Amino acid sequence: HVTAVFEADLSAVTAHRNATGKAATFTAYFVRASVVALQAVPEVNSRWHDDGLELFDDCNIGIATALAGGGLIVPVLARAQELDLAETAVRLADLTTRAREGKLTPKEVQGGSFTMSNHGVSGSLLAAPIIINQPQSAILGIGKVEQRVRVNAAGGFEARPMCYVSLTLDHRVLDGYRANGFLSKLVETIEQWR
């Protein structure tokens, strides 16, 4: 396992959320951005096998969900590439609510091709999550969104909503260059949200 870390400015996403009445969680935006990044770097959307790499066309994204009694479960948002932001938000809310209530079907926790862990919802700034669902090739970690001082284009200082994003990967599948390509596309999508 190897982990790469980037920082993302969520100003555009925050503005969009505020304009739309916060109908979608930050996680929903990261699901959408992950789809874009998975399509740009398809090796991330794969499973490692001793005899070869299995690449997937569908972005079946597992969402690590903490359970009240401890532990976690990973419901899978199947064919996420077919959903828009609103559909992603509705399906994500349904899956995570039913996960916490113990109402998922076995099929809803199978078939993932990539996993996300939004550890920031519990206050963590930075983590390097392990690949929970091996033989998947990677897992995305999303840290807590917090205001940080940044230097703007005019050389002044301003507070911006920032978070760290990490990609832990199976180095047999990806090298640092490809992992950084995935994170670059993810961050670009988040920062240029419209």
Side-chain angles (χ1 to χ4, degrees):
H1 286 143
V2 176
T3 300
V5 179
F6 278 46
E7 192 173 30
D9 181 340
L10 276 71
S11 296
V13 165
T14 300
H16 188 269
R17 284 187 78 222
N18 291 338
T20 57
K22 298 185 179 178
T25 63
F26 285 121
T27 303
Y29 286 90
F30 276 102
V31 168
R32 300 302 320 135
S34 292
V35 167
V36 173
L38 289 170
Q39 291 173 333
V41 186
E43 298 91 339
V44 178
N45 194 38
S46 67
R47 286 191 196 141
W48 169 265
H49 302 284
D50 287 338
D51 59 351
L53 187 62
E54 181 181 10
L55 295 171
F56 296 97
D57 292 325
D58 286 333
C59 298
N60 297 321
I61 300 177
I63 310 297
T65 304
L67 301 175
L72 60 86
I73 192 167
V74 184
V76 175
L77 186 61
R79 295 180 305 283
Q81 77 278 1
E82 297 174 359
L83 307 174
D84 63 18
L85 179 64
E87 293 166 330
T88 298
V90 168
R91 290 209 22 219
L92 188 60
D94 172 62
L95 279 173
T96 56
T97 297
R98 289 189 298 110
R100 291 184 182 108
E101 294 171 349
K103 296 181 179 177
L104 293 174
T105 66
K107 184 179 179 183
E108 291 174 314
V109 294
Q110 297 172 351
S113 58
F114 178 72
T115 299
M116 294 175 49
S117 174
N118 189 351
H119 53 83
V121 298
S122 59
S124 173
L125 291 176
L126 179 63
I130 61 168
I131 299 174
I132 299 167
N133 290 316
Q134 293 188 18
Q136 288 180 15
S137 298
I139 183 170
L140 177 69
I142 305 163
K144 177 183 176 183
V145 178
E146 65 175 3
Q147 293 292 319
R148 297 187 195 136
V149 176
R150 310 298 289 174
V151 178
N152 62 27
F157 296 99
E158 61 187 1
R160 308 284 287 199
M162 306 292 294
C163 78
Y164 296 109
V165 290
S166 62
L167 184 71
T168 299
L169 57 112
D170 184 331
H171 207 277
R172 296 171 299 180
V173 176
L174 295 162
D175 58 21
Y177 179 80
R178 299 299 284 159
N180 290 345
F182 172 89
L183 285 171
S184 293
K185 181 54 83 173
L186 178 100
V187 169
E188 174 188 300
T189 303
I190 289 292
E191 292 186 343
Q192 296 178 4
W193 196 275
R194 289 181 184 25

